[in-house]
Amino acid sequence: MAQVTTGTAAAVALAEALVTEAKRKASYTAVDEHITTETRVVGIGSGSTVVFCVERLAQRVKSENLGIKACIPTSFQAKQLIIEAGLPLAELNQFPDIDVAFDGADEVDAQLNCIKGGGACQLQEKLVASCAKKFVIVADYRKNSITLGEQWKLGVPLEVIPMVYAPLLSKLRALGANPVLRMAMRKAGPVVTDNGNFVIDADFGGIQDPVALERTLIAIPGIVETGLFCNMAEWAYFGMQDG
């Protein structure tokens, strides 16, 4: 039994290492292809893949003396990554015109529509992406789908005003969703975003028309932002299974 357990653990560790390497290669390629000597302002997304985008950006700034003036974070995590990498940290109000923004995704469909918000950062992520001339998604092969909802089974993350989460759950059920208020893992109570809001994960199953669904959801009072990023990304880089 111990040998089986050890073998299983080794296989899991190998698979995780391959995914990590895939994320690194995809991130490095994305940064190398979209950061040029003309780039001045960079949007920094959130999540595990973006770690490698920041890593590569810092390497190139140091080795090539690139003229990056500002890196705009989308979350507390992104802010810390920028600081730790020694990159210039700034706010969107200081630099509202972003040359390129890099971010991860929970799922990407064939038209590059995305589900984001697994880390509860979708509001600030969308604000930064909307101000970017180029929005680049970087993810591993597990996030690549034909239709949204095909692989990501946790629903569309919705950032909502806390005082109205209960009515919103009812309204979402009326739309055919299976919504749940996201609860914190190591805190009593719900997840609270960087903006002081709650997150509802609304499972609609396979999403055939994400543009129409986003339009419907964002029109509901109390929903601050959705995790549907439609017609925003122009490039997506996927790290493949073989690393």
Side-chain angles (χ1 to χ4, degrees):
M1 181 65 70
Q3 290 181 344
V4 173
T5 302
T6 301
T8 301
V12 170
L14 176 59
E16 290 178 350
L18 288 174
V19 169
T20 298
E21 184 59 24
K23 290 179 179 180
R24 177 180 282 108
K25 287 184 177 180
S27 298
Y28 276 41
T29 300
V31 170
D32 286 349
E33 292 189 0
H34 293 280
I35 295 294
T36 72
T37 55
E38 304 300 318
T39 305
R40 294 294 178 264
V41 183
V42 182
I44 303 297
S46 305
S48 60
T49 306
V50 174
V51 171
F52 300 115
C53 290
V54 173
E55 179 180 273
R56 181 55 176 163
L57 179 60
Q59 290 174 358
R60 290 194 56 198
V61 167
K62 183 177 181 180
S63 65
E64 301 173 36
N65 195 29
L66 295 176
I68 303 296
K69 291 183 177 180
C71 291
I72 312 299
T74 58
S75 64
F76 177 85
Q77 179 220 16
K79 181 178 179 180
Q80 295 306 116
L81 287 173
I82 294 167
I83 292 172
E84 291 169 5
L87 294 168
L89 175 68
E91 296 182 359
L92 194 54
N93 285 327
Q94 295 173 288
F95 294 89
D97 298 315
I98 299 173
D99 294 310
V100 57
F102 299 95
D103 210 340
D106 298 306
E107 190 171 31
V108 185
D109 73 9
Q111 285 72 47
L112 302 189
N113 298 311
C114 308
I115 291 178
K116 293 175 51 55
C121 304
Q122 66 267 27
L123 173 54
Q124 292 187 38
E125 288 172 338
K126 190 172 285 189
L127 291 173
V128 170
S130 71
C131 293
K133 298 172 186 175
K134 296 194 294 184
F135 180 44
V136 181
I137 291 293
V138 187
D140 64 75
Y141 65 94
R142 300 172 300 178
K143 312 300 177 63
N144 188 12
S145 296
I146 301 299
T147 303
L148 295 181
E150 179 181 316
Q151 298 194 65
W152 178 255
K153 302 299 184 182
L154 299 180
V156 178
L158 306 172
E159 183 156 345
V160 305
I161 300 297
M163 68 172 289
V164 75
Y165 81 87
L168 286 175
L169 290 172
S170 297
K171 292 180 180 181
L172 290 165
R173 292 189 190 101
L175 290 175
N178 178 24
V180 294
L181 180 65
R182 189 185 299 182
M183 304 305 289
M185 296 296 292
R186 300 185 67 180
K187 163 191 169 295
V191 167
V192 179
T193 71
D194 288 354
N195 312 295
N197 296 315
F198 289 172
V199 175
I200 291 175
D201 293 302
D203 183 6
F204 290 90
I207 302 173
Q208 300 301 320
D209 191 345
V211 174
L213 179 58
E214 181 187 24
R215 188 181 303 119
T216 297
L217 293 172
I218 203 64
I220 300 174
I223 294 181
V224 180
E225 191 52 85
T226 83
L228 290 169
F229 284 55
C230 299
N231 300 321
M232 298 187 75
E234 296 183 68
W235 295 269
Y237 292 78
F238 296 101
M240 302 314 292
Q241 191 168 7
D242 58 4

